Amino acid sequence: MKAVTADNLSKTYESGKRALDDVSLSLNQGEIFGFLGPNGSGKTTTVKLLNGMLTPSGGECSVFGVNPAVSPETVHGMSGVITEHAQMYDNLTGFQNLTFFASLFGIDAGEAAQRARSLLEQIDLAEAGNRKLATYSTGMRQRLSLARAMIHRPRILFLDEPTSGLDPESARQANGMIRDLARQDGTTVFLCTHQLRYAEEICTYYGLVDSGTLLASGDIESLRAGLSSGLTVTLRTDRPPVGVEHGKLPDGRYSVQVASAEEIPRLVRRIVEAGIKLYHVSAQRPTLEEIYFALIEQKSTGGAA
Amino acid sequence: MNKQQLALIKKDVRGITSNKRLFSVLLIIPLFMAVVLPTIFLLTITFTPLESGDLQDLLAILPVDLPNSDLRVALTGALLNKIVPLFFLMIPIMSASVMAASSFVGEKEKRTLETLLYCPLSLKQIYRAKILASFALSMFVSLLSFAAMLIVVEAELWITMRNWFLPAIEWLLIILLVAPALSLIAITLIVRGSAKAQTVEESQQRSVFLILPILMLIVGQFMGVLLLNAWILLGLGAAFAAIAVVLVRTSAGGYTYEKILK
């Protein structure tokens, strides 16, 4: 069974804003799915649709075969959700918050306490667990939210910007926790973020979204393969390479675009045979960020044509 | 009511008792209505000369059986059974409003409502649990206030007049019918407004609509326009109860996650 499916999913708000336009997705169990795009591109809307907080204006979706628009409670029982607006109680301690939410999921008191304690330990809040939430920093709150979302051992985690408001170090730490926790229980993760670099560190599958439309989805290899521009080869030579189209970098090196790695030996041979001194060759595969911006560009030129 | 709903009720009640500001509101109003006010009445009756015009005016209004008892005792009984019950009704209205506002709008204000909605309870179950939490607290505060009032009033009566006060049938109707019905009306009014209200204070102001008619009843008593008796109270109580049932039945209907989180 697929963990998440979306078929031509669309959402238009009452205000007339089209937040999501015809998005189709299919996600296997156990993937860490990065749903990536800038703020306002429809990520939160998608999470809310998948949890039945919103009803789709068109198309449909499912979480482990359950339609959230029909039985949201069933989906909630299987999923753990972190969003910016889903906070916890300031007047309770970290531990009390976790055991309260555990009881909402029908976990009995003894097991809830045990689970809360072990999660607090894993997120480095064992000490702070007995303090009221009002004294927590943003980073501690975010980590506690992660524990809260995991308290009932969900089959899928929906994380909407789990690292927003965190400094780079805490963000990296939180990402590590998401990865470890997910791996430990085999949990599927649906991670929404605009921080593409963090996503690249932990995700196994991607969906790139912009103003409500899905630009592409797949693992990093298939995303790269889908791009017309393949690799960027950087060369350090004593003079400009002749016979190949090239750009000049600020540090004096030259860059050449090739479609695939197979072209690199040919390129090198041609340069050496032309009598040019070649000091250094390196090839960069496009990063997620480069892929994203290339796709945006494709979309806008495609739209013009 | 399942275990999850009970957990939610417990959390809501603890949320209000651990909040000093809200808890003091829950304490001060019952203290004033059930203890201070009856005491003021009693002291006034005890220390005002019987010949004074004010007391005679009051006597003219209230149905006091003059021949068979001491005038002061009779007057006390009339005040405690006809006037104080109306003031007492402020207690369930206020405690239900404070609790419901904190339970529904407070969660929205503190951004904890969304987290709650992601739990495997249906919207209706969540609403029912929250309504019940407010209702239970309101009734608990009302009963406790009544008990406190009885203790204080009996002690004061014994000290000043060597007499006892026997609560009339009106009190039974107040406690068992009117107070529960008014509590539920206050709660459902706040729940209805909770989708729109953004702050707890804004939401609590709605209970003013319920307090106004009670104030008019009180004024009516003193002016002698409408005298409270068991039949009027029964009628009023039945009407309030009917309104409460309709409001509770329809309170969770028509709500969707989308509307609530807006």
Side-chain angles (χ1 to χ4, degrees):
Chain A
M1 196 197 310
K2 293 280 180 188
V4 170
T5 64
D7 297 309
N8 305 42
L9 195 60
S10 301
K11 177 68 189 177
T12 307
Y13 286 109
E14 262 174 42
S15 59
K17 187 185 180 251
R18 194 153 179 81
L20 209 63
D21 198 359
D22 230 13
V23 167
S24 295
L25 263 181
S26 167
L27 188 57
N28 287 322
Q29 293 183 38
E31 298 276 14
I32 301 186
F33 176 67
F35 199 43
L36 315 175
N39 294 330
S41 55
K43 303 189 299 290
T44 304
T45 302
T46 309
V47 168
K48 287 192 167 171
L49 285 166
L50 288 171
N51 280 285
M53 292 289 145
L54 296 174
T55 30
S57 333
E60 56 180 34
C61 53
S62 77
V63 176
F64 288 102
V66 179
N67 185 344
V70 177
S71 48
E73 303 97 78
T74 317
V75 173
H76 296 169
M78 298 188 285
S79 60
V81 188
I82 298 184
T83 76
E84 188 194 346
H85 294 284
Q87 300 294 324
M88 282 181 276
Y89 299 97
D90 273 354
N91 63 317
L92 302 180
T93 67
F95 179 77
Q96 287 169 335
N97 266 297
L98 290 186
T99 49
F100 166 64
F101 283 102
S103 65
L104 285 189
F105 282 88
I107 302 170
D108 66 58
E111 195 193 334
Q114 213 175 351
R115 177 93 175 125
R117 243 175 254 124
S118 93
L119 279 168
L120 282 170
E121 201 140 310
Q122 287 184 65
I123 55 166
D124 289 334
L125 290 179
E127 292 280 308
N130 295 319
R131 290 208 327 250
K132 290 213 166 151
L133 203 61
T135 66
Y136 280 31
S137 67
T138 314
M140 291 161 85
R141 280 167 191 268
Q142 290 288 60
R143 275 183 282 156
L144 193 70
S145 285
L146 186 61
R148 191 258 306 150
M150 299 283 300
I151 193 89
H152 57 294
R153 299 183 193 280
R155 296 172 77 182
I156 182 165
L157 270 179
F158 291 96
L159 311 173
D160 190 9
E161 300 284 359
T163 51
S164 76
L166 298 188
D167 57 81
E169 180 55 33
S170 315
R172 183 144 295 146
Q173 218 182 352
N175 270 331
M177 279 167 189
I178 292 167
R179 186 177 43 205
D180 294 346
L181 289 171
R183 225 176 255 159
Q184 195 175 306
D185 292 350
T187 314
T188 308
V189 178
F190 193 104
L191 171 73
C192 300
T193 183
H194 67 274
Q195 296 169 313
L196 273 61
R197 259 173 238 172
Y198 291 130
E200 206 169 356
E201 285 173 17
I202 63 168
C203 294
T204 56
Y205 201 81
Y206 300 91
L208 304 178
V209 67
D210 180 56
S211 39
T213 53
L214 191 67
L215 300 171
S217 65
D219 58 20
I220 189 96
E221 288 308 323
S222 68
L223 288 178
R224 279 184 184 132
L227 277 188
S228 47
S229 54
L231 288 94
T232 306
V233 179
T234 313
L235 307 162
R236 197 148 63 81
T237 52
D238 59 345
R239 54 198 156 95
V242 287
V244 283
E245 207 177 301
H246 63 270
K248 191 166 187 211
L249 298 174
D251 61 0
R253 290 183 301 167
Y254 300 95
S255 71
V256 178
Q257 296 292 328
V258 295
S260 73
E262 298 305 309
E263 288 185 27
I264 298 175
R266 257 180 281 153
L267 175 72
V268 171
R269 192 179 313 129
R270 201 183 311 165
I271 291 168
V272 173
E273 281 172 357
I276 296 165
K277 282 180 183 158
L278 183 58
Y279 300 106
H280 181 88
V281 183
S282 64
Q284 285 95 36
R285 305 189 330 144
T287 62
L288 204 52
E289 236 164 350
E290 285 162 341
I291 295 173
Y292 185 80
F293 289 117
L295 283 169
I296 296 247
E297 205 168 298
Q298 262 179 28
K299 183 187 168 193
S300 60
T301 52
Chain B
M1 205 50 47
N2 61 28
K3 244 170 61 184
Q4 285 107 301
Q5 286 173 294
L6 280 179
L8 185 53
I9 292 173
K10 249 196 268 173
K11 192 275 302 169
D12 267 6
V13 171
R14 189 156 66 171
I16 204 153
T17 50
S18 70
N19 182 323
K20 281 194 191 105
R21 195 174 57 85
L22 291 178
F23 191 65
S24 60
V25 174
L26 279 187
L27 211 66
I28 286 168
I29 288 169
L31 204 66
F32 185 78
M33 296 297 171
V35 175
V36 177
L37 203 68
T39 303
I40 292 175
F41 283 156
L42 274 181
L43 292 179
T44 312
I45 291 174
T46 311
F47 294 108
T48 310
L50 277 181
E51 302 73 37
S52 99
D54 292 343
L55 221 52
Q56 293 298 331
D57 288 348
L58 199 59
L59 268 177
I61 297 167
L62 293 171
V64 178
D65 302 330
L66 274 176
N68 58 5
S69 61
D70 173 11
L71 192 63
R72 285 184 208 273
V73 175
L75 206 56
T76 308
L79 267 177
L80 289 179
N81 281 327
K82 307 281 175 193
I83 305 283
V84 174
L86 289 177
F87 282 102
F88 185 85
L89 284 178
M90 305 280 181
I91 297 171
I93 294 177
M94 287 306 295
S95 14
S97 305
V98 169
M99 176 73 183
S102 136
S103 168
F104 286 91
V105 189
E107 295 244 21
K108 192 166 146 182
E109 200 179 13
K110 288 178 188 137
R111 292 180 163 187
T112 50
L113 185 63
E114 193 173 318
T115 327
L116 211 54
L117 297 183
Y118 286 121
C119 80
L121 289 171
S122 71
L123 210 49
K124 212 169 201 162
Q125 286 175 311
I126 294 176
Y127 267 59
R128 287 271 150 90
K130 281 184 160 291
I131 288 175
L132 192 68
S134 300
F135 180 70
L137 188 91
S138 160
M139 288 317 291
F140 178 75
V141 171
S142 303
L143 285 175
L144 210 66
S145 308
F146 183 64
M149 185 198 79
L150 272 188
I151 293 169
V152 170
V153 164
E154 299 293 10
E156 286 168 351
L157 264 179
W158 185 249
I159 292 166
T160 55
M161 301 174 202
R162 297 281 149 197
N163 211 321
W164 295 108
F165 155 66
L166 185 71
I169 187 90
E170 278 90 341
W171 274 108
L172 201 68
L173 288 169
I174 290 277
I175 299 286
L176 293 183
L177 187 64
V178 187
L182 279 177
S183 295
L184 283 176
I185 293 176
I187 295 163
T188 44
L189 276 183
I190 284 183
V191 172
R192 274 162 188 268
S194 68
K196 278 196 198 125
Q198 294 299 332
T199 68
V200 171
E201 286 75 16
E202 187 187 331
S203 156
Q204 277 170 5
Q205 283 157 9
R206 292 196 138 222
S207 57
V208 171
F209 293 113
L210 271 176
I211 287 178
L212 277 179
I214 303 292
L215 281 177
M216 279 159 70
L217 269 182
I218 292 172
V219 173
Q221 291 285 297
F222 278 119
M223 308 269 292
V225 180
L226 176 81
L227 274 183
L228 199 63
N229 65 39
W231 290 111
I232 292 177
L233 217 48
L234 188 66
L236 272 178
F240 287 151
I243 295 172
V245 167
V246 172
L247 286 174
V248 171
R249 283 268 164 101
T250 54
S251 66
Y255 284 107
T256 59
Y257 294 115
E258 196 164 347
K259 266 190 202 158
I260 291 168
L261 288 177
K262 204 187 280 174

